[in-house]
Amino acid sequence: QQQVKQSPQSLIVQKGGIPIINCAYENTAFDYFPWYQQFPGKGPALLIAIRPDVSEKKEGRFTISFNKSAKQFSLHIMDSQPGDSATYFCAANRDLTGANNLFFGTGTRLTVIP
Amino acid sequence: DTAVSQTPKYLVTQMGNDKSIKCEQNLGHDTMYWYKQDSKKFLKIMFSYNNKELIINETVPNRFSPKSPDKAHLNLHINSLELGDSAVYFCASSQGSPGEETQYFGPGTRLLVL
């Protein structure tokens, strides 16, 4: 059972475009929503994260929009660059005693064409 | 300085063999994780340890056994390897507490079972 649904599976944009990746969840116990970026041959790395008490968070060219009532959140990449080409994973966290249980979306492969 | 390191980076082996993957973190974190990333890039948690205590134990075959000799190390031993075990295995670490949910991933171990 997929706890976090992510779309699209792949995305191709021109340099300067604004790719948008969408995620949805059902479990209201989730309390932290990170986005991870993964380059080929590397491990995922945290890009940006949001908590459910805010509707938007911006860090540089990356923005998360969060809709708590709809249980949806999305990543926007402003002025996208070829170096942004990577696989992006949304995730949702449920705190356990002593661990953070992250449920990942299925990933979006982004290609930014020069 | 590598924060989360894994060895080996590549592992090619025959079906039926037993193999181990090692992970070490120098971030001073209390919690470590093992994830499996399949050929479709789906990331799924397998195990989590907090200070040598098993916290998360997802539904994985009992051929997989994690071992944590101390809180900086979490190794994964796999018995009787099967073709379906071919994947990339990532180790990660985090502080494991609310407000400190960021997980730091290692570079991955690419396992190919022939």
mmCIF file of all heavy atoms in Angstrom, chain A residues 40-80:
data_model
loop_
_atom_site.group_PDB
_atom_site.id
_atom_site.type_symbol
_atom_site.label_atom_id
_atom_site.label_comp_id
_atom_site.label_asym_id
_atom_site.label_seq_id
_atom_site.Cartn_x
_atom_site.Cartn_y
_atom_site.Cartn_z
ATOM 1 N N PRO A 40 22.024 10.487 -10.301
ATOM 2 C CA PRO A 40 22.396 9.116 -10.654
ATOM 3 C C PRO A 40 23.645 8.651 -9.910
ATOM 4 O O PRO A 40 24.648 9.371 -9.840
ATOM 5 C CB PRO A 40 22.649 9.205 -12.156
ATOM 6 C CG PRO A 40 21.810 10.343 -12.622
ATOM 7 C CD PRO A 40 21.819 11.335 -11.491
ATOM 8 N N GLY A 41 23.560 7.476 -9.351
ATOM 9 C CA GLY A 41 24.701 6.887 -8.654
ATOM 10 C C GLY A 41 24.953 7.436 -7.264
ATOM 11 O O GLY A 41 25.958 7.085 -6.636
ATOM 12 N N LYS A 42 24.060 8.276 -6.777
ATOM 13 C CA LYS A 42 24.235 8.893 -5.460
ATOM 14 C C LYS A 42 23.067 8.540 -4.549
ATOM 15 O O LYS A 42 22.017 8.090 -5.008
ATOM 16 C CB LYS A 42 24.323 10.426 -5.580
ATOM 17 C CG LYS A 42 25.397 10.902 -6.518
ATOM 18 C CD LYS A 42 26.776 10.674 -5.962
ATOM 19 C CE LYS A 42 27.835 11.290 -6.853
ATOM 20 N NZ LYS A 42 29.198 10.935 -6.407
ATOM 21 N N GLY A 43 23.253 8.802 -3.266
ATOM 22 C CA GLY A 43 22.145 8.639 -2.337
ATOM 23 C C GLY A 43 21.248 9.860 -2.341
ATOM 24 O O GLY A 43 21.675 10.950 -2.724
ATOM 25 N N PRO A 44 19.991 9.709 -1.914
ATOM 26 C CA PRO A 44 19.098 10.867 -1.817
ATOM 27 C C PRO A 44 19.641 11.868 -0.801
ATOM 28 O O PRO A 44 20.266 11.485 0.187
ATOM 29 C CB PRO A 44 17.784 10.252 -1.316
ATOM 30 C CG PRO A 44 17.895 8.794 -1.596
ATOM 31 C CD PRO A 44 19.339 8.459 -1.506
ATOM 32 N N ALA A 45 19.370 13.140 -1.062
ATOM 33 C CA ALA A 45 19.792 14.202 -0.145
ATOM 34 C C ALA A 45 18.618 15.148 0.068
ATOM 35 O O ALA A 45 17.878 15.467 -0.873
ATOM 36 C CB ALA A 45 20.991 14.955 -0.710
ATOM 37 N N LEU A 46 18.468 15.588 1.308
ATOM 38 C CA LEU A 46 17.354 16.495 1.630
ATOM 39 C C LEU A 46 17.481 17.792 0.845
ATOM 40 O O LEU A 46 18.535 18.426 0.818
ATOM 41 C CB LEU A 46 17.340 16.803 3.123
ATOM 42 C CG LEU A 46 16.225 17.754 3.561
ATOM 43 C CD1 LEU A 46 14.866 17.070 3.427
ATOM 44 C CD2 LEU A 46 16.443 18.234 4.990
ATOM 45 N N LEU A 47 16.372 18.187 0.223
ATOM 46 C CA LEU A 47 16.332 19.424 -0.559
ATOM 47 C C LEU A 47 15.634 20.519 0.228
ATOM 48 O O LEU A 47 16.149 21.609 0.412
ATOM 49 C CB LEU A 47 15.578 19.149 -1.858
ATOM 50 C CG LEU A 47 15.488 20.243 -2.892
ATOM 51 C CD1 LEU A 47 16.855 20.591 -3.431
ATOM 52 C CD2 LEU A 47 14.555 19.792 -4.025
ATOM 53 N N ILE A 48 14.448 20.235 0.696
ATOM 54 C CA ILE A 48 13.628 21.202 1.423
ATOM 55 C C ILE A 48 12.546 20.411 2.136
ATOM 56 O O ILE A 48 12.178 19.316 1.703
ATOM 57 C CB ILE A 48 13.017 22.235 0.429
ATOM 58 C CG1 ILE A 48 12.245 23.344 1.160
ATOM 59 C CG2 ILE A 48 12.157 21.554 -0.620
ATOM 60 C CD1 ILE A 48 11.772 24.475 0.230
ATOM 61 N N ALA A 49 12.039 20.954 3.243
ATOM 62 C CA ALA A 49 11.006 20.237 3.998
ATOM 63 C C ALA A 49 10.029 21.229 4.598
ATOM 64 O O ALA A 49 10.359 22.406 4.794
ATOM 65 C CB ALA A 49 11.634 19.383 5.093
ATOM 66 N N ILE A 50 8.834 20.745 4.926
ATOM 67 C CA ILE A 50 7.798 21.604 5.486
ATOM 68 C C ILE A 50 7.047 20.858 6.572
ATOM 69 O O ILE A 50 6.957 19.611 6.535
ATOM 70 C CB ILE A 50 6.832 22.087 4.367
ATOM 71 C CG1 ILE A 50 5.995 23.294 4.825
ATOM 72 C CG2 ILE A 50 5.914 20.945 3.894
ATOM 73 C CD1 ILE A 50 5.267 23.988 3.682
ATOM 74 N N ARG A 51 6.531 21.607 7.531
ATOM 75 C CA ARG A 51 5.661 21.025 8.553
ATOM 76 C C ARG A 51 4.231 21.450 8.252
ATOM 77 O O ARG A 51 4.019 22.479 7.616
ATOM 78 C CB ARG A 51 6.100 21.482 9.934
ATOM 79 C CG ARG A 51 7.493 21.004 10.254
ATOM 80 C CD ARG A 51 7.875 21.173 11.702
ATOM 81 N NE ARG A 51 9.295 20.863 11.857
ATOM 82 C CZ ARG A 51 9.760 19.623 11.997
ATOM 83 N NH1 ARG A 51 8.937 18.599 12.006
ATOM 84 N NH2 ARG A 51 11.061 19.415 12.128
ATOM 85 N N PRO A 52 3.237 20.714 8.734
ATOM 86 C CA PRO A 52 1.848 20.971 8.330
ATOM 87 C C PRO A 52 1.231 22.241 8.892
ATOM 88 O O PRO A 52 0.102 22.567 8.544
ATOM 89 C CB PRO A 52 1.101 19.724 8.826
ATOM 90 C CG PRO A 52 1.968 19.119 9.846
ATOM 91 C CD PRO A 52 3.364 19.484 9.529
ATOM 92 N N ASP A 53 1.972 22.981 9.724
ATOM 93 C CA ASP A 53 1.389 24.213 10.265
ATOM 94 C C ASP A 53 1.634 25.426 9.370
ATOM 95 O O ASP A 53 1.197 26.531 9.693
ATOM 96 C CB ASP A 53 1.917 24.473 11.679
ATOM 97 C CG ASP A 53 3.429 24.463 11.756
ATOM 98 O OD1 ASP A 53 4.078 23.995 10.786
ATOM 99 O OD2 ASP A 53 3.978 24.910 12.778
ATOM 100 N N VAL A 54 2.350 25.229 8.251
ATOM 101 C CA VAL A 54 2.549 26.324 7.300
ATOM 102 C C VAL A 54 2.081 25.877 5.919
ATOM 103 O O VAL A 54 2.064 24.689 5.620
ATOM 104 C CB VAL A 54 4.011 26.799 7.230
ATOM 105 C CG1 VAL A 54 4.452 27.355 8.561
ATOM 106 C CG2 VAL A 54 4.918 25.690 6.781
ATOM 107 N N SER A 55 1.713 26.835 5.078
ATOM 108 C CA SER A 55 1.182 26.489 3.754
ATOM 109 C C SER A 55 2.227 26.608 2.649
ATOM 110 O O SER A 55 2.010 26.112 1.542
ATOM 111 C CB SER A 55 -0.018 27.374 3.424
ATOM 112 O OG SER A 55 0.373 28.734 3.433
ATOM 113 N N GLU A 56 3.327 27.275 2.953
ATOM 114 C CA GLU A 56 4.339 27.429 1.919
ATOM 115 C C GLU A 56 5.709 27.610 2.556
ATOM 116 O O GLU A 56 5.838 28.253 3.603
ATOM 117 C CB GLU A 56 4.017 28.642 1.034
ATOM 118 C CG GLU A 56 4.950 28.807 -0.155
ATOM 119 C CD GLU A 56 4.520 29.941 -1.067
ATOM 120 O OE1 GLU A 56 3.604 29.743 -1.885
ATOM 121 O OE2 GLU A 56 5.107 31.036 -0.961
ATOM 122 N N LYS A 57 6.715 27.061 1.907
ATOM 123 C CA LYS A 57 8.086 27.285 2.350
ATOM 124 C C LYS A 57 8.956 27.440 1.119
ATOM 125 O O LYS A 57 8.839 26.648 0.163
ATOM 126 C CB LYS A 57 8.583 26.126 3.200
ATOM 127 C CG LYS A 57 9.995 26.365 3.757
ATOM 128 C CD LYS A 57 10.360 25.329 4.764
ATOM 129 C CE LYS A 57 11.743 25.622 5.337
ATOM 130 N NZ LYS A 57 12.154 24.568 6.288
ATOM 131 N N LYS A 58 9.814 28.451 1.169
ATOM 132 C CA LYS A 58 10.662 28.744 0.012
ATOM 133 C C LYS A 58 12.113 28.737 0.442
ATOM 134 O O LYS A 58 12.472 29.338 1.465
ATOM 135 C CB LYS A 58 10.278 30.110 -0.560
ATOM 136 C CG LYS A 58 10.996 30.474 -1.830
ATOM 137 C CD LYS A 58 10.457 31.775 -2.395
ATOM 138 C CE LYS A 58 11.184 32.141 -3.678
ATOM 139 N NZ LYS A 58 10.673 33.386 -4.273
ATOM 140 N N GLU A 59 12.950 28.071 -0.341
ATOM 141 C CA GLU A 59 14.389 28.101 -0.110
ATOM 142 C C GLU A 59 15.058 28.231 -1.467
ATOM 143 O O GLU A 59 15.073 27.291 -2.262
ATOM 144 C CB GLU A 59 14.873 26.838 0.608
ATOM 145 C CG GLU A 59 14.527 26.795 2.077
ATOM 146 C CD GLU A 59 15.070 25.568 2.803
ATOM 147 O OE1 GLU A 59 15.792 24.773 2.181
ATOM 148 O OE2 GLU A 59 14.758 25.419 4.002
ATOM 149 N N GLY A 60 15.552 29.428 -1.734
ATOM 150 C CA GLY A 60 16.171 29.676 -3.028
ATOM 151 C C GLY A 60 15.159 29.513 -4.148
ATOM 152 O O GLY A 60 14.081 30.116 -4.109
ATOM 153 N N ARG A 61 15.455 28.666 -5.106
ATOM 154 C CA ARG A 61 14.542 28.473 -6.243
ATOM 155 C C ARG A 61 13.487 27.393 -5.973
ATOM 156 O O ARG A 61 12.644 27.122 -6.837
ATOM 157 C CB ARG A 61 15.357 28.102 -7.489
ATOM 158 C CG ARG A 61 16.299 29.211 -7.950
ATOM 159 C CD ARG A 61 17.024 28.841 -9.240
ATOM 160 N NE ARG A 61 17.952 27.729 -9.054
ATOM 161 C CZ ARG A 61 17.749 26.487 -9.512
ATOM 162 N NH1 ARG A 61 16.652 26.183 -10.189
ATOM 163 N NH2 ARG A 61 18.662 25.540 -9.318
ATOM 164 N N PHE A 62 13.541 26.777 -4.810
ATOM 165 C CA PHE A 62 12.642 25.659 -4.497
ATOM 166 C C PHE A 62 11.560 26.103 -3.517
ATOM 167 O O PHE A 62 11.853 26.725 -2.501
ATOM 168 C CB PHE A 62 13.437 24.495 -3.898
ATOM 169 C CG PHE A 62 14.512 23.980 -4.819
ATOM 170 C CD1 PHE A 62 15.798 24.479 -4.753
ATOM 171 C CD2 PHE A 62 14.217 23.014 -5.767
ATOM 172 C CE1 PHE A 62 16.789 24.007 -5.620
ATOM 173 C CE2 PHE A 62 15.199 22.536 -6.632
ATOM 174 C CZ PHE A 62 16.478 23.036 -6.557
ATOM 175 N N THR A 63 10.315 25.768 -3.849
ATOM 176 C CA THR A 63 9.179 26.130 -3.011
ATOM 177 C C THR A 63 8.292 24.916 -2.801
ATOM 178 O O THR A 63 7.994 24.184 -3.762
ATOM 179 C CB THR A 63 8.338 27.248 -3.663
ATOM 180 O OG1 THR A 63 9.153 28.407 -3.844
ATOM 181 C CG2 THR A 63 7.140 27.608 -2.793
ATOM 182 N N ILE A 64 7.890 24.701 -1.546
ATOM 183 C CA ILE A 64 6.872 23.689 -1.255
ATOM 184 C C ILE A 64 5.568 24.417 -0.977
ATOM 185 O O ILE A 64 5.532 25.354 -0.173
ATOM 186 C CB ILE A 64 7.224 22.852 -0.015
ATOM 187 C CG1 ILE A 64 8.556 22.129 -0.177
ATOM 188 C CG2 ILE A 64 6.125 21.822 0.245
ATOM 189 C CD1 ILE A 64 8.951 21.347 1.082
ATOM 190 N N SER A 65 4.499 23.946 -1.615
ATOM 191 C CA SER A 65 3.152 24.399 -1.282
ATOM 192 C C SER A 65 2.453 23.254 -0.569
ATOM 193 O O SER A 65 2.532 22.105 -1.021
ATOM 194 C CB SER A 65 2.382 24.768 -2.549
ATOM 195 O OG SER A 65 3.017 25.826 -3.222
ATOM 196 N N PHE A 66 1.782 23.570 0.531
ATOM 197 C CA PHE A 66 1.185 22.519 1.358
ATOM 198 C C PHE A 66 -0.285 22.833 1.605
ATOM 199 O O PHE A 66 -0.625 23.937 2.044
ATOM 200 C CB PHE A 66 1.941 22.415 2.683
ATOM 201 C CG PHE A 66 1.545 21.229 3.513
ATOM 202 C CD1 PHE A 66 2.122 20.000 3.305
ATOM 203 C CD2 PHE A 66 0.570 21.348 4.494
ATOM 204 C CE1 PHE A 66 1.753 18.896 4.049
ATOM 205 C CE2 PHE A 66 0.195 20.253 5.255
ATOM 206 C CZ PHE A 66 0.790 19.025 5.036
ATOM 207 N N ASN A 67 -1.145 21.881 1.312
ATOM 208 C CA ASN A 67 -2.586 22.037 1.535
ATOM 209 C C ASN A 67 -3.026 20.949 2.514
ATOM 210 O O ASN A 67 -3.249 19.801 2.140
ATOM 211 C CB ASN A 67 -3.343 21.912 0.214
ATOM 212 C CG ASN A 67 -4.826 22.198 0.363
ATOM 213 O OD1 ASN A 67 -5.427 21.946 1.412
ATOM 214 N ND2 ASN A 67 -5.427 22.728 -0.674
ATOM 215 N N LYS A 68 -3.145 21.338 3.783
ATOM 216 C CA LYS A 68 -3.420 20.350 4.834
ATOM 217 C C LYS A 68 -4.806 19.731 4.667
ATOM 218 O O LYS A 68 -4.971 18.516 4.836
ATOM 219 C CB LYS A 68 -3.303 21.019 6.208
ATOM 220 C CG LYS A 68 -3.383 20.052 7.363
ATOM 221 C CD LYS A 68 -3.114 20.777 8.670
ATOM 222 C CE LYS A 68 -3.214 19.818 9.848
ATOM 223 N NZ LYS A 68 -2.918 20.498 11.135
ATOM 224 N N SER A 69 -5.794 20.535 4.311
ATOM 225 C CA SER A 69 -7.158 20.006 4.217
ATOM 226 C C SER A 69 -7.280 19.008 3.067
ATOM 227 O O SER A 69 -8.009 18.017 3.156
ATOM 228 C CB SER A 69 -8.172 21.142 4.056
ATOM 229 O OG SER A 69 -7.884 21.875 2.881
ATOM 230 N N ALA A 70 -6.561 19.262 1.988
ATOM 231 C CA ALA A 70 -6.601 18.357 0.838
ATOM 232 C C ALA A 70 -5.594 17.224 0.978
ATOM 233 O O ALA A 70 -5.604 16.281 0.174
ATOM 234 C CB ALA A 70 -6.330 19.133 -0.456
ATOM 235 N N LYS A 71 -4.725 17.305 1.958
ATOM 236 C CA LYS A 71 -3.649 16.327 2.162
ATOM 237 C C LYS A 71 -2.806 16.187 0.897
ATOM 238 O O LYS A 71 -2.554 15.083 0.392
ATOM 239 C CB LYS A 71 -4.226 14.986 2.626
ATOM 240 C CG LYS A 71 -4.757 15.052 4.063
ATOM 241 C CD LYS A 71 -5.221 13.715 4.583
ATOM 242 C CE LYS A 71 -6.670 13.511 4.245
ATOM 243 N NZ LYS A 71 -7.239 12.294 4.853
ATOM 244 N N GLN A 72 -2.385 17.358 0.411
ATOM 245 C CA GLN A 72 -1.543 17.387 -0.782
ATOM 246 C C GLN A 72 -0.416 18.381 -0.587
ATOM 247 O O GLN A 72 -0.567 19.379 0.141
ATOM 248 C CB GLN A 72 -2.382 17.796 -2.006
ATOM 249 C CG GLN A 72 -3.459 16.786 -2.386
ATOM 250 C CD GLN A 72 -4.345 17.286 -3.498
ATOM 251 O OE1 GLN A 72 -4.332 18.461 -3.859
ATOM 252 N NE2 GLN A 72 -5.135 16.396 -4.074
ATOM 253 N N PHE A 73 0.696 18.126 -1.231
ATOM 254 C CA PHE A 73 1.787 19.081 -1.225
ATOM 255 C C PHE A 73 2.552 18.955 -2.533
ATOM 256 O O PHE A 73 2.486 17.914 -3.212
ATOM 257 C CB PHE A 73 2.701 18.925 -0.004
ATOM 258 C CG PHE A 73 3.339 17.570 0.165
ATOM 259 C CD1 PHE A 73 4.711 17.413 -0.004
ATOM 260 C CD2 PHE A 73 2.594 16.462 0.546
ATOM 261 C CE1 PHE A 73 5.304 16.180 0.187
ATOM 262 C CE2 PHE A 73 3.176 15.225 0.731
ATOM 263 C CZ PHE A 73 4.546 15.082 0.554
ATOM 264 N N SER A 74 3.220 20.039 -2.902
ATOM 265 C CA SER A 74 3.889 20.046 -4.190
ATOM 266 C C SER A 74 5.206 20.805 -4.114
ATOM 267 O O SER A 74 5.408 21.645 -3.246
ATOM 268 C CB SER A 74 2.985 20.658 -5.262
ATOM 269 O OG SER A 74 2.639 21.975 -4.906
ATOM 270 N N LEU A 75 6.079 20.467 -5.034
ATOM 271 C CA LEU A 75 7.385 21.121 -5.162
ATOM 272 C C LEU A 75 7.402 21.901 -6.471
ATOM 273 O O LEU A 75 7.057 21.361 -7.527
ATOM 274 C CB LEU A 75 8.505 20.072 -5.161
ATOM 275 C CG LEU A 75 9.922 20.609 -5.374
ATOM 276 C CD1 LEU A 75 10.384 21.388 -4.142
ATOM 277 C CD2 LEU A 75 10.889 19.472 -5.686
ATOM 278 N N HIS A 76 7.793 23.170 -6.372
ATOM 279 C CA HIS A 76 7.961 24.016 -7.555
ATOM 280 C C HIS A 76 9.436 24.393 -7.644
ATOM 281 O O HIS A 76 10.024 24.791 -6.618
ATOM 282 C CB HIS A 76 7.146 25.313 -7.427
ATOM 283 C CG HIS A 76 5.677 25.089 -7.260
ATOM 284 N ND1 HIS A 76 4.730 25.714 -8.036
ATOM 285 C CD2 HIS A 76 4.980 24.317 -6.398
ATOM 286 C CE1 HIS A 76 3.528 25.341 -7.661
ATOM 287 N NE2 HIS A 76 3.647 24.494 -6.673
ATOM 288 N N ILE A 77 9.982 24.302 -8.847
ATOM 289 C CA ILE A 77 11.371 24.707 -9.041
ATOM 290 C C ILE A 77 11.372 25.894 -10.004
ATOM 291 O O ILE A 77 11.055 25.765 -11.187
ATOM 292 C CB ILE A 77 12.226 23.555 -9.620
ATOM 293 C CG1 ILE A 77 12.100 22.308 -8.731
ATOM 294 C CG2 ILE A 77 13.687 23.995 -9.734
ATOM 295 C CD1 ILE A 77 12.829 21.084 -9.280
ATOM 296 N N MET A 78 11.702 27.054 -9.474
ATOM 297 C CA MET A 78 11.714 28.268 -10.293
ATOM 298 C C MET A 78 12.989 28.307 -11.129
ATOM 299 O O MET A 78 14.038 27.828 -10.690
ATOM 300 C CB MET A 78 11.648 29.509 -9.397
ATOM 301 C CG MET A 78 10.537 29.488 -8.375
ATOM 302 S SD MET A 78 8.909 29.359 -9.125
ATOM 303 C CE MET A 78 8.777 31.002 -9.814
ATOM 304 N N ASP A 79 12.882 28.904 -12.319
ATOM 305 C CA ASP A 79 14.047 29.113 -13.184
ATOM 306 C C ASP A 79 14.911 27.839 -13.238
ATOM 307 O O ASP A 79 16.106 27.858 -12.899
ATOM 308 C CB ASP A 79 14.868 30.298 -12.657
ATOM 309 C CG ASP A 79 16.014 30.681 -13.589
ATOM 310 O OD1 ASP A 79 15.898 30.442 -14.807
ATOM 311 O OD2 ASP A 79 17.020 31.202 -13.083
ATOM 312 N N SER A 80 14.312 26.748 -13.633
ATOM 313 C CA SER A 80 15.019 25.463 -13.584
ATOM 314 C C SER A 80 16.264 25.475 -14.492
ATOM 315 O O SER A 80 16.305 26.147 -15.528
ATOM 316 C CB SER A 80 14.082 24.324 -13.981
ATOM 317 O OG SER A 80 13.545 24.544 -15.277
#
